[in-house]
Amino acid sequence: MEQTAIRPQKGLPLYLQLKQMIQAQIASGVMHPGDRVPSERELSDRFGMSRMTARQALLELVREGFLYREQGRGTFVAHRKVNQGLLGVTSFTDDMRLRGVVPESVALDQVLELADAEAREQLQLDIGAMVVRLKRLRLGDGRPMALEEAILPAHFVEGLEDHPLDKDFSLYAYLRERGILFQRAHQTLEAVLAEGDQSQFLGVLPGAPLLLLERLSFRQDGQPMEFVRAYYRADRFKFFVDLNQG
Amino acid sequence: MEQTAIRPQKGLPLYLQLKQMIQAQIASGVMHPGDRVPSERELSDRFGMSRMTARQALLELVREGFLYREQGRGTFVAHRKVNQGLLGVTSFTDDMRLRGVVPESVALDQVLELADAEAREQLQLDIGAMVVRLKRLRLGDGRPMALEEAILPAHFVEGLEDHPLDKDFSLYAYLRERGILFQRAHQTLEAVLAEGDQSQFLGVLPGAPLLLLERLSFRQDGQPMEFVRAYYRADRFKFFVDLNQG
DNA sequence: AAGTGGTCTAGACCACCGA
DNA sequence: CGGTGGTCTAGACCACTTG
């Protein structure tokens, strides 16, 4: 832990600068798993900040799994960072890129319609509300990966009808640009067998195993904003998630 | 938000008392989704605590999804609490109980042996290390739900060999009693088809869909401590998870 | 301009742990 | 015992939102 510059308001809050510095030391191997990190008092002395500021940096790193603390002993570098950050809500596009696969979408259907009972229930809409329904075939490196249907309240996506949905278009990037962000999602996964349409679009035999994913996403204020039902080819897709706390 | 007693050191830290009070008001319906919660300054005034203390209560409730904040506007009650707390590592036993199903286990096999290559890789063990291998059939309300194999480093579970593994025995409760806690887990899910042994134990036809779950659990210090591979009957089990942050 | 959350300070006492 | 993290105080200035 060298005395690199950390002091001034160079745009970034102090605690974030400290956090990044510690993170860098772990990543670069300067500090090893099990090593003790300097105490809150030591950090605040060394970098001329208050103890609460150093504390905030350490606590965030603990929450993110880089460090762990033991009462009365100290703060230590965690042993193996479990797949950093994959606790977040991911989009198909990001997901594929992360795996080094080139994502692609083919729009099969795209309609503006009255929300049916299921959509109203999931998205908590009133009778008469309109929704956009997007049916897409998802490709990875040009091969069919998943058949996906997304339903969103129409007011979130005005103008989307004129948007090209093919190629590497990401619905999530589109929403991000418009300032619409997810905060939380509830997701279920089950195993089903391919039938009818599904096997044709995905290029598998009827009876092949599929992973059925259903996801309801919420905005920051807790309002539901997207319901997705997607069928993934089991031989090409494995879902993973990191869980915290015991 | 009434002026109930909150002041003194009645065992519980101040910020936890405040947190619980706010949580109770949300649960009881006194405060509704979208309602503004008193500001940090207002809370600190009203309850005679410092702003940082009130802030700590609010920030924890935000992290847990009960509240959300908007810069310059205030702190608000979130709209729908997404399955409270199900971000955690769950055991089969807890999971079933949560769903109102009576869990049961039948031990099929239980051996102490040399760790093979896969076990060493997953659990980061050296050559020559011993592991305990537990094979169990999991029942819910008396019906087969899953076929599960767990592998643990032998030094975590000394004495387990003499333990009855049937009935409602929970490996996790056993470990909890011995002070061994999980902090984090990495889990993957995929869809497969039942074959051989699996279909017999689970009571399904070969070719029936199964949900294959693999989980690697870590202790607080980041050391891996259990690897589980479980096959769930797709018609009786749906996996769900809540994700944070977009 | 007034109110909010975001950051930060310079102290304090406590419970817990190790030597 | 000294050092650690856990809690807490009473202030401060900032950026942001709203009227």
Side-chain angles (χ1 to χ4, degrees):
Chain A
M1 187 85 42
E2 327 101 37
Q3 179 61 274
T4 43
I6 213 188
R7 196 48 235 272
Q9 248 69 346
K10 53 176 259 258
L12 215 54
L14 286 184
Y15 79 95
L16 282 180
Q17 292 182 44
L18 175 56
K19 192 180 154 189
Q20 289 179 0
M21 172 180 304
I22 296 173
Q23 224 162 345
Q25 308 233 354
I26 296 173
S28 67
V30 178
M31 300 209 296
H32 299 87
D35 285 0
R36 232 204 72 208
V37 163
S39 71
E40 299 173 354
R41 288 165 180 83
E42 205 176 330
L43 288 169
S44 61
D45 279 0
R46 195 172 324 171
F47 297 113
M49 56 179 60
S50 100
R51 188 185 153 203
M52 287 300 275
T53 302
R55 180 176 175 77
Q56 187 171 358
L58 293 183
L59 287 182
E60 290 205 0
L61 288 167
V62 167
R63 272 196 294 276
E64 292 167 19
F66 291 98
L67 305 176
Y68 65 98
R69 338 190 78 187
E70 287 183 20
Q71 166 79 257
R73 298 216 322 122
T75 305
F76 307 86
V77 178
H79 275 254
R80 197 212 257 189
K81 185 64 190 74
V82 189
N83 253 294
Q84 150 110 22
L86 253 170
L87 197 72
V89 178
T90 56
S91 72
F92 177 85
T93 308
D94 296 339
D95 219 39
M96 288 300 111
R97 292 212 175 103
L98 209 62
R99 297 162 199 242
V101 174
V102 179
E104 211 175 330
S105 276
V106 178
L108 302 177
D109 200 10
Q110 179 181 352
V111 294
L112 180 66
E113 62 178 28
L114 264 176
D116 61 18
E118 186 194 26
R120 288 203 308 273
E121 140 106 53
Q122 295 287 355
L123 299 172
Q124 299 183 267
L125 298 173
D126 296 323
I127 291 185
M130 302 297 286
V131 293
V132 171
R133 199 179 280 267
L134 289 175
K135 196 167 174 184
R136 286 177 289 177
L137 182 64
R138 302 292 214 163
L139 308 175
D141 285 342
R143 302 181 307 168
M145 291 285 296
L147 192 59
E148 175 185 303
E149 189 175 41
I151 304 174
L152 299 90
H155 55 277
F156 285 140
V157 289
E158 280 166 28
L160 183 62
E161 303 84 14
D162 313 322
H163 231 83
L165 280 191
D166 288 56
K167 300 292 174 180
D168 59 349
F169 171 79
S170 167
L171 175 60
Y172 301 86
Y174 173 85
L175 292 171
R176 214 178 294 135
E177 283 164 22
R178 302 170 87 83
I180 300 176
L181 295 171
F182 300 102
Q183 157 78 352
R184 223 171 16 253
H186 179 73
Q187 197 160 273
T188 68
L189 286 158
E190 45 196 315
V192 298
L193 301 182
E195 51 184 37
D197 267 13
Q198 296 158 4
S199 57
Q200 283 177 27
F201 280 121
L202 293 172
V204 296
L205 295 174
L210 299 178
L211 201 54
L212 166 56
L213 178 155
E214 291 184 344
R215 178 172 60 212
L216 185 60
S217 302
F218 301 84
R219 298 197 305 172
Q220 196 189 224
D221 63 1
Q223 305 256 34
M225 72 152 285
E226 186 203 38
F227 178 69
V228 173
R229 177 177 290 131
Y231 296 89
Y232 285 84
R233 279 183 62 148
D235 57 343
R236 296 191 180 156
F237 194 81
K238 183 191 276 201
F239 178 81
F240 62 110
V241 63
D242 289 320
L243 307 167
N244 280 326
Q245 288 176 87
Chain B
M1 188 84 42
E2 326 101 37
Q3 178 60 275
T4 44
I6 212 187
R7 197 47 236 272
Q9 248 68 346
K10 52 175 263 254
L12 215 53
L14 286 185
Y15 78 95
L16 283 180
Q17 291 182 45
L18 175 56
K19 191 180 155 187
Q20 289 180 359
M21 173 180 304
I22 296 173
Q23 224 162 345
Q25 308 231 354
I26 296 173
S28 66
V30 177
M31 298 208 296
H32 300 86
D35 285 359
R36 233 205 69 209
V37 163
S39 72
E40 299 173 353
R41 288 165 181 84
E42 205 176 330
L43 287 170
S44 62
D45 279 0
R46 196 174 320 174
F47 297 114
M49 56 179 59
S50 99
R51 188 184 150 201
M52 288 300 277
T53 303
R55 180 176 174 78
Q56 188 172 358
L58 293 183
L59 286 181
E60 290 205 359
L61 288 168
V62 167
R63 272 196 295 276
E64 293 167 19
F66 291 99
L67 304 176
Y68 65 97
R69 340 189 78 187
E70 287 183 20
Q71 166 78 259
R73 299 214 326 121
T75 304
F76 308 85
V77 178
H79 275 254
R80 196 212 258 189
K81 186 63 189 75
V82 189
N83 256 293
Q84 150 108 24
L86 254 169
L87 197 70
V89 178
T90 56
S91 72
F92 178 84
T93 308
D94 296 340
D95 220 39
M96 288 299 112
R97 292 211 175 104
L98 210 62
R99 297 162 199 242
V101 174
V102 180
E104 213 174 328
S105 276
V106 178
L108 301 177
D109 200 9
Q110 180 180 352
V111 294
L112 180 66
E113 63 179 26
L114 263 175
D116 61 18
E118 186 195 24
R120 287 203 307 275
E121 140 108 51
Q122 295 287 356
L123 299 171
Q124 298 184 271
L125 298 173
D126 296 322
I127 291 185
M130 301 298 284
V131 293
V132 172
R133 199 179 278 269
L134 288 176
K135 197 169 174 182
R136 287 175 289 176
L137 182 64
R138 302 292 214 163
L139 308 175
D141 285 343
R143 301 181 308 168
M145 291 285 295
L147 194 58
E148 176 185 305
E149 188 175 41
I151 304 174
L152 299 89
H155 55 276
F156 285 140
V157 288
E158 280 166 28
L160 183 63
E161 303 84 13
D162 314 321
H163 232 84
L165 280 191
D166 288 55
K167 300 290 175 183
D168 59 350
F169 171 78
S170 166
L171 176 60
Y172 301 86
Y174 173 85
L175 293 171
R176 213 177 296 136
E177 284 163 20
R178 302 169 87 84
I180 300 177
L181 294 171
F182 302 102
Q183 158 77 352
R184 222 169 19 250
H186 180 73
Q187 197 159 273
T188 68
L189 285 159
E190 45 196 316
V192 297
L193 301 183
E195 52 184 36
D197 267 14
Q198 295 159 4
S199 57
Q200 282 176 28
F201 280 121
L202 293 172
V204 296
L205 294 174
L210 299 179
L211 201 54
L212 166 56
L213 178 155
E214 291 185 342
R215 180 173 58 213
L216 185 60
S217 301
F218 301 83
R219 299 196 304 171
Q220 195 189 223
D221 63 0
Q223 305 254 34
M225 73 153 286
E226 185 203 37
F227 178 68
V228 173
R229 178 177 288 132
Y231 296 89
Y232 285 85
R233 279 183 63 149
D235 57 342
R236 295 190 180 157
F237 194 81
K238 183 192 280 201
F239 177 81
F240 61 111
V241 63
D242 287 320
L243 307 166
N244 279 328
Q245 288 177 86

